[in-house]
Amino acid sequence: MSEAERTIAIIVAAGEGSRAGGDTPKQFQRVGGLALVAHAYRAFADHPMIDEVVLVVAPGMEAAAREAVGAEVAIVMGGASRRESVAHGLAAATARRATRVLIHDAARPFVPAGVIAAVAGALGKHQGAIPALPVVDTLARSDGLLGDVVPRTGLWRVQTPQGFQLEAIIAAHAAWPENEEATDDAQMVRHVGGSVTLVQGDPVLDKVTYPADLVLAEARAGPVWRTRTATGFDVHRLEDGEDLWLGGMLIPHSRGLSGHSDADVALHALTDALLGTIAAGDIGTHFPPSDPQWRGAESGQFLRHAAGLIRARGGEIEFVDVTIICEAPKIGPHRAAVTARIAELLELPAGQVSVKATTTERLGFTGRGEGIAAQAVATVRVPA
Ligand code: MG
């Protein structure tokens, strides 16, 4: 695609969608925790070949659309008919300097990235490109009783997104008779002599029309997850006469870490990383050092608390990684035990817990044996 090309996706979500049942227009009904229109929005907004997304909604639905999509999306008012709604979207795309548009129906929530790429890619050679699937069912005429079979050779099911050179679709709209409705933009382009090619469609693009389609869409959506990653860091001082707790294990050593709790620097770093994934503050927010009840406390409970907060939000811990930074003791001999203990505390398979150690080449406070540092990274997934 040339640098000068600018592709805008227009999602038409202005219909009433009454056939799908429910009080809400179907494009705002939720499947997998997200409104149908939001599924489609994400597919385009996340796609590298799409520069911007414009959403066309019925008057009065702007706030609902913004809430459903949860982003600073450009919103355009729909018109009295689908054709008018698309025309408003095209005007917005023109104002936003589009050279190409992909027009999509919000009732088709699941848009494979490959279909977007195929449609957008075909616009290098054609004025229009549409996804389509060959008809596989037997087709027949009927006036109540079975009539003749209609040969399905050469028959295609047309889907959206339909892609066009902006000039071609604007010209097609301008030429279309004022008082005639058009359900398909590609036919309008064809009507004025434009070339529209077919690209491979996808059954997941099928329209949500009836209540049963919402049930199928729910099954297709599954839960919608967001991946979150956060880091944690901690330092404690090494002192004589203290026990050394590291990663939930008592490690034999001449000195131990001092602090308000058991000073388990590895578990503190990891607790902060986990709290960070859900933006729930840090270990000090939940267990203030000023509170005497945490004096000498076993740090495993801090870690379990953080994991509990993630699970309470319906989240899952995917992976944790801890690096312990010290000259001594050697962590290698204890690595398996520490890994197993952290896995136990987090109720995770050991394969989702990584424990590493390093020295700082005798440099700095860790190198001089004044203290031990730890850093951690946690990756979780939470429902969107
Ligand atoms: Mg600490």
Side-chain angles (χ1 to χ4, degrees):
M1 222 190 284
S2 124
E3 283 292 315
E5 299 295 349
R6 190 168 150 69
T7 307
I8 290 186
I10 300 170
I11 301 177
V12 184
E16 287 174 14
S18 48
R19 276 178 296 178
D23 297 334
T24 323
K26 72 182 166 200
Q27 59 272 30
F28 294 105
Q29 294 195 27
R30 286 174 181 266
V31 297
L34 272 185
L36 292 188
V37 65
H39 284 281
Y41 171 80
R42 283 191 182 180
F44 289 102
D46 292 346
H47 200 282
M49 292 170 86
I50 301 298
D51 295 297
E52 203 179 342
V53 182
V54 168
L55 197 56
V56 186
V57 303
M61 295 305 285
E62 307 95 296
R66 242 176 252 292
E67 206 243 306
V69 171
E72 275 307 308
V73 60
I75 292 183
V76 174
M77 281 315 106
S81 63
R82 185 184 184 280
R83 180 165 67 87
E84 245 182 69
S85 293
V86 171
H88 292 182
L90 290 172
T94 306
R96 288 162 188 275
R97 303 187 184 286
T99 58
R100 297 167 171 178
V101 290
L102 266 61
I103 302 170
H104 184 68
D105 194 338
R108 305 178 193 269
F110 308 118
V111 195
V115 171
I116 296 175
V119 171
L123 295 178
K125 283 195 199 143
H126 300 270
Q127 288 168 311
I130 61 172
L133 288 173
V135 172
V136 292
D137 292 327
T138 296
L139 297 177
R141 297 187 193 284
S142 171
D143 54 4
L145 289 172
L146 179 65
D148 290 340
V149 163
V150 179
R152 64 184 174 220
T153 317
L155 288 184
W156 294 77
R157 295 202 286 131
V158 170
Q159 302 178 315
T160 75
Q162 301 194 343
F164 306 99
Q165 306 279 1
L166 183 72
E167 282 173 13
I169 184 71
I170 296 263
H173 270 253
W176 194 258
E178 193 58 48
N179 49 2
E180 254 179 66
E181 185 45 77
T183 58
D184 189 88
D185 297 288
Q187 288 298 344
M188 296 169 76
V189 168
R190 219 187 118 239
H191 190 77
V192 291
S195 83
V196 177
T197 191
L198 302 192
V199 303
Q200 180 72 41
D202 193 307
V204 305
L205 271 168
D206 284 349
K207 219 172 183 173
V208 172
T209 306
Y210 300 104
D213 298 335
L214 279 170
V215 176
L216 178 61
E218 187 70 52
R220 274 176 175 163
V224 178
W225 297 97
R226 289 267 170 92
T227 299
R228 301 273 184 82
T229 298
T231 66
F233 178 75
D234 197 28
V235 171
H236 279 272
R237 185 185 295 276
L238 276 169
E239 283 182 3
D240 293 331
E242 296 273 1
D243 286 337
L244 177 59
W245 286 94
L246 269 181
M249 298 299 291
L250 184 59
I251 310 269
H253 192 49
S254 55
R255 292 185 299 162
L257 292 172
S258 87
H260 191 68
S261 64
D262 67 8
D264 189 326
V265 71
L267 293 192
H268 292 186
L270 185 50
T271 301
D272 266 357
L274 288 171
L275 291 172
T277 61
I278 50 170
D282 56 34
I283 198 167
T285 318
H286 296 266
F287 307 99
S290 54
D291 187 339
Q293 70 167 307
W294 309 121
R295 188 183 303 279
E298 180 242 325
S299 295
Q301 66 190 301
F302 305 157
L303 191 65
R304 281 195 300 263
H305 178 76
L309 290 177
I310 291 164
R311 295 199 171 104
R313 293 186 187 202
E316 287 177 16
I317 301 169
E318 293 276 9
F319 197 79
V320 298
D321 177 59
V322 185
T323 303
I324 299 168
I325 306 161
C326 61
E327 272 323 301
K330 290 274 169 253
I331 302 302
H334 307 288
R335 185 206 303 265
V338 166
T339 305
R341 178 62 182 150
I342 292 174
E344 182 188 8
L345 287 165
L346 294 177
E347 297 171 39
L348 284 181
Q352 286 165 248
V353 176
S354 157
V355 174
K356 315 196 298 295
T358 186
T359 71
T360 50
E361 299 283 342
R362 300 189 179 278
L363 296 170
F365 71 86
T366 50
R368 292 189 296 271
E370 293 165 12
I372 297 181
Q375 57 190 35
V377 178
T379 301
V380 307
R381 52 181 200 155
V382 290

